[in-house]
Amino acid sequence: MQTYTEHEFEAAPGLPEALPAGEYILWQGSPDWKLLAAEAFHVRRLSLYFALMIALQAVMSWDNDVSLRANLGPLMLSATLAATALGLLALTAWLSASTTMYTLTNKRVVMRIGIVLTLSFNLPLRWVQTAQMRPCGDEAGHGDIALDLKGDDRIAYLNLWPHARAWEIKKPQPTLRCIANAEKVGAQLHAAWQQRQNEIAASPNADAAQRDLIPVRMPASVYAR
């Protein structure tokens, strides 16, 4: 697995270097920032939480002996602080989505992620053990595709987040978050993965140890929220 920085010098959008002969792009995409804000940054849940807390504050602190302005002042302050926090989270989600590019080729998955420090993770398909798709959001067709990698190599969870499967911290799983047409992309990934495994198995240069690493199948399953 290779990691690159600084996408200003990309050979093509989302790719840190030109693809070698025989390799070509099957799909490119980015997260839907609104869904990313809801799914990864939990803006909707936090909005409900803040609304409940402000309502509770109003019930607990309302004083009929003081003016309406005096009662509303603390509530307006709380609402302003809540709106600021939610706005910052939404802005972070937008920046994260706008600087992210996922690329699927016939041989690898490339994830260009990061807002301040941009990283590109090069994930060869032969290292992918399983891929799992989870629908997300209310819009039909959007979902996450998590990649479970073989071997002992690990990508730090904090380096991946929010492009990682939730709560898989011990063995982080790189995840294509909140992408459109997730089922179609998953099918393309599965087909490319199967073709790559067949190429490796048939290669005269593949030694026994490498063949032993080739999994028998790549199940397409849906994991729970």
Side-chain angles (χ1 to χ4, degrees):
M1 176 178 59
Q2 294 173 297
T3 303
Y4 304 90
T5 60
E6 302 303 329
H7 67 268
E8 290 81 0
F9 304 102
E10 290 176 332
L15 297 174
E17 58 187 16
L19 295 177
E23 186 173 0
Y24 49 88
I25 295 174
L26 297 173
W27 171 85
Q28 281 190 314
S30 300
D32 180 299
W33 78 267
K34 293 180 182 179
L35 285 179
L36 191 67
E39 295 289 325
F41 294 87
H42 307 292
V43 170
R44 291 176 184 170
R45 294 183 179 90
L46 287 174
S47 297
L48 178 60
Y49 170 79
F50 287 140
L52 290 175
M53 289 299 100
I54 292 172
L56 181 62
Q57 179 185 0
V59 171
M60 299 293 292
S61 65
W62 196 269
D63 188 349
N64 292 325
D65 295 329
V66 300
S67 66
L68 178 63
R69 182 176 181 179
N71 277 314
L72 291 180
L75 299 179
M76 292 300 295
L77 176 60
S78 297
T80 300
L81 292 174
T84 301
L86 294 172
L88 289 174
L89 287 174
L91 176 61
T92 304
W94 179 81
L95 289 172
S96 180
S98 63
T99 55
T100 295
M101 179 69 75
Y102 305 132
T103 302
L104 170 65
T105 78
N106 59 321
K107 294 185 178 180
R108 76 186 84 181
V109 174
V110 180
M111 300 174 63
R112 187 249 277 158
I113 63 175
I115 299 174
V116 177
L117 176 62
T118 302
L119 299 174
S120 291
F121 293 106
N122 177 28
L123 309 173
L125 292 179
R126 62 186 176 86
W127 288 9
V128 177
Q129 183 166 265
T130 61
Q132 302 183 30
M133 193 275 287
R134 176 185 73 95
C136 67
D138 300 326
E139 299 181 41
H142 287 74
D144 298 341
I145 299 178
L147 307 177
D148 184 12
L149 305 180
K150 296 181 291 185
D152 297 327
D153 279 353
R154 299 287 186 274
I155 304 175
Y157 189 87
L158 291 179
N159 285 345
L160 279 172
W161 191 87
H163 313 277
R165 181 175 173 179
W167 307 114
E168 293 292 336
I169 298 175
K170 185 176 181 180
K171 187 181 179 183
Q173 297 182 10
T175 303
L176 312 184
R177 295 298 304 268
C178 304
I179 59 173
N181 302 312
E183 188 172 341
K184 180 179 178 181
V185 176
Q188 289 178 294
L189 173 63
H190 182 275
W193 180 92
Q194 189 63 64
Q195 179 181 353
R196 186 59 181 148
Q197 304 312 308
N198 293 339
E199 290 173 355
I200 293 174
S203 173
N205 297 322
D207 56 28
Q210 188 179 36
R211 290 195 180 95
D212 288 342
L213 290 176
I214 302 173
V216 176
R217 61 188 177 88
M218 182 183 187
S221 56
V222 177
Y223 58 87
R225 288 180 179 272

